[in-house]
Amino acid sequence: MPSTPTTPLANGEKSGRRGQILIAAAELFAQHGFHGVGIDDIGAAVGISGPALYRHFRSKDAMLGEMLTSISEYLLAGGESHAEHDGGPDEVLAALVRFHVDFALTHPALITVQERSFANLADTDRRQVRALQRRYVEVWVRAIRAAVPGLDQAHARSAAHAVFGLINSTPHSRHLPDDELAPLLQRLALGALRAAR
Amino acid sequence: MPSTPTTPLANGEKSGRRGQILIAAAELFAQHGFHGVGIDDIGAAVGISGPALYRHFRSKDAMLGEMLTSISEYLLAGGESHAEHDGGPDEVLAALVRFHVDFALTHPALITVQERSFANLADTDRRQVRALQRRYVEVWVRAIRAAVPGLDQAHARSAAHAVFGLINSTPHSRHLPDDELAPLLQRLALGALRAAR
DNA sequence: CGGATGTGTTAGCGAGCGCTAACACATCCG
DNA sequence: CGGATGTGTTAGCGCTCGCTAACACATCCG
């Protein structure tokens, strides 16, 4: 059975070498930036040497493309699944916050890459990732407007992006154990949205 | 008179060519990442050609170093100045938020570079920038703990970083005019901090 | 005047990049 | 067995990069 993704990279047919390579590459891209990482660095990180990567990916750009697409699909699928669940608007919003916080804490490198390497995508990949991201934002916008009355679309969208920034800042600052940081971030995010107006 | 900085780059002796180059380079670094920008690109952006930059900076690394140091010094000076002003804890915190929001909206490229290119700094520059950033964070930590009782240092520090992420996310999403976005961000940031505990 | 100083140019270096070519070998299966 | 397939290797290509060298010229000033 194909199953819905449980982990953003290394799923289904991406399991094995391909997934392993994407995970290692994401870590490196997050640390040094896309252009700061060489093909040989990525190979070395998975125990093979540079050019062997081309048995699995068409190009370095293709790695980034598949990486960001995969992340965006995972976020969208998770967001939609939580948004569909019944429960009041407050519960839905809290579930979205919890989902995103959990993702940021579990996959800090992926959050970093998603944030920073968008501009390095090839045109086609960039369009696809942007479309997926927009749909994810729209899930949030609907949830925010349902839970916080009196916000127009533009304000809700800005608030959504701001909360992403709040949650995604995690990788750069982890002075707390996850089991204290996660609830703090959830309080901060929901507190921010409650104050949106 | 030397005066305190009114603009993060292009101050005092940095006025003229040096400041102009740093501003142009910051814009390019923000768009493409440090390694994604060539010496010739920076030169072209100020109307001279590549190698002429070495009349003003020792290296490309030195440009980034001076850029981030300058930004960090500006933030720290502004933060300390607002923290010293009298007024209740709430007023001080609100002033810090307003100051940081204003900086993020006025200099989106600088915020982006400060966030993303820290890892590209040479060792010496990185140490200095880190020290300045820590002091800026400490200004916030004190203000947060004064205004939001019951937070220990670690939680306050995490909250400060989260609010930076919230405010700094602005460059990536501006669907509102500044005069609506700024108050929204201030409400979100203060709302988050109020909910920290 | 004439040297010093500051700021620009073009040519070109050495190094590192992404990627391809050519080959090696292990596994699988008709 | 023996070809097909998949996955690894090393050598090396063409290109771009940061940076230096060598030179040009304008301004300033003793």
Side-chain angles (χ1 to χ4, degrees):
Chain A
M1 54 175 189
S3 83
T4 68
T6 58
T7 266
L9 307 176
N11 260 290
E13 51 118 5
K14 275 203 278 291
S15 295
R17 263 288 190 253
R18 282 178 70 84
Q20 183 192 8
I21 291 169
L22 285 181
I23 291 172
E27 208 74 46
L28 291 170
F29 290 165
Q31 282 176 41
H32 309 288
F34 180 69
H35 290 298
V37 177
I39 238 38
D40 291 347
D41 300 325
I42 303 173
V46 297
I48 64 183
S49 245
L53 295 171
Y54 290 84
R55 299 293 173 194
H56 306 279
F57 296 92
R58 278 182 35 263
S59 68
K60 191 187 168 194
D61 287 320
M63 288 184 215
L64 183 66
E66 187 164 328
M67 189 183 302
L68 293 206
T69 302
S70 208
I71 296 169
S72 302
E73 283 169 347
Y74 175 84
L75 283 175
L76 176 59
E80 282 180 339
S81 130
H82 283 95
E84 283 161 9
H85 271 148
D86 21 52
D90 288 354
E91 280 82 2
V92 168
L93 193 56
L96 281 180
V97 168
R98 221 178 305 116
F99 166 69
H100 199 106
V101 167
D102 181 63
F103 180 80
L105 290 178
T106 313
H107 306 288
L110 301 192
I111 279 288
T112 303
V113 172
Q114 176 95 344
E115 262 194 319
R116 298 187 184 174
S117 296
F118 184 78
N120 301 121
L121 283 171
D123 289 10
T124 307
D125 292 327
R126 184 166 48 244
R127 266 191 294 275
Q128 187 179 357
V129 170
R130 176 147 45 208
L132 290 165
Q133 287 181 346
R134 265 208 263 266
R135 291 174 58 192
Y136 183 60
V137 173
E138 287 315 305
V139 170
W140 274 75
V141 166
R142 275 191 293 276
I144 291 172
R145 297 189 69 194
V148 183
L151 277 186
D152 63 26
Q153 285 241 11
H155 282 73
R157 216 183 322 268
S158 291
H161 280 285
V163 169
F164 294 158
L166 185 154
I167 299 173
N168 294 350
S169 71
T170 306
H172 317 309
S173 70
R174 303 183 78 160
H175 341 79
L176 280 177
D178 282 6
D179 63 343
E180 296 186 47
L181 183 52
L184 174 62
L185 289 174
Q186 286 162 28
R187 288 197 305 274
L188 292 170
L190 291 173
L193 292 173
R194 235 179 287 123
R197 165 86 338 181
Chain B
M1 59 178 185
S3 83
T4 67
T6 59
T7 266
L9 308 176
N11 261 290
E13 49 116 6
K14 276 203 276 292
S15 294
R17 262 287 189 255
R18 281 177 70 84
Q20 183 192 7
I21 291 168
L22 286 180
I23 290 172
E27 208 74 47
L28 291 169
F29 290 166
Q31 281 176 41
H32 307 106
F34 180 70
H35 290 299
V37 177
I39 237 43
D40 290 347
D41 300 326
I42 302 173
V46 297
I48 64 182
S49 243
L53 295 170
Y54 290 85
R55 299 293 172 195
H56 306 278
F57 296 93
R58 277 182 37 263
S59 66
K60 192 188 168 195
D61 287 321
M63 288 184 215
L64 184 65
E66 187 165 328
M67 188 183 301
L68 294 204
T69 303
S70 208
I71 296 169
S72 302
E73 283 169 347
Y74 175 84
L75 283 175
L76 176 59
E80 282 178 339
S81 130
H82 283 95
E84 283 161 7
H85 271 146
D86 22 52
D90 288 354
E91 279 82 2
V92 168
L93 193 55
L96 282 180
V97 168
R98 222 178 305 116
F99 166 69
H100 199 105
V101 166
D102 181 64
F103 180 80
L105 290 178
T106 313
H107 306 288
L110 301 192
I111 279 288
T112 302
V113 171
Q114 174 96 342
E115 260 194 320
R116 299 189 183 171
S117 296
F118 184 79
N120 301 120
L121 283 170
D123 290 9
T124 307
D125 292 327
R126 185 165 48 244
R127 265 191 295 275
Q128 187 179 356
V129 170
R130 175 147 45 208
L132 290 166
Q133 288 181 344
R134 265 208 263 266
R135 290 173 58 193
Y136 184 59
V137 172
E138 286 315 305
V139 170
W140 274 76
V141 166
R142 275 190 294 275
I144 291 173
R145 295 189 70 193
V148 183
L151 277 186
D152 63 28
Q153 285 243 9
H155 282 73
R157 216 184 318 270
S158 291
H161 280 286
V163 169
F164 294 159
L166 185 154
I167 298 173
N168 294 350
S169 71
T170 305
H172 318 310
S173 70
R174 302 182 80 162
H175 341 78
L176 280 176
D178 282 6
D179 62 343
E180 296 186 48
L181 183 52
L184 174 62
L185 289 174
Q186 286 162 27
R187 287 198 305 273
L188 293 170
L190 290 173
L193 291 173
R194 236 179 286 122
R197 162 84 341 179

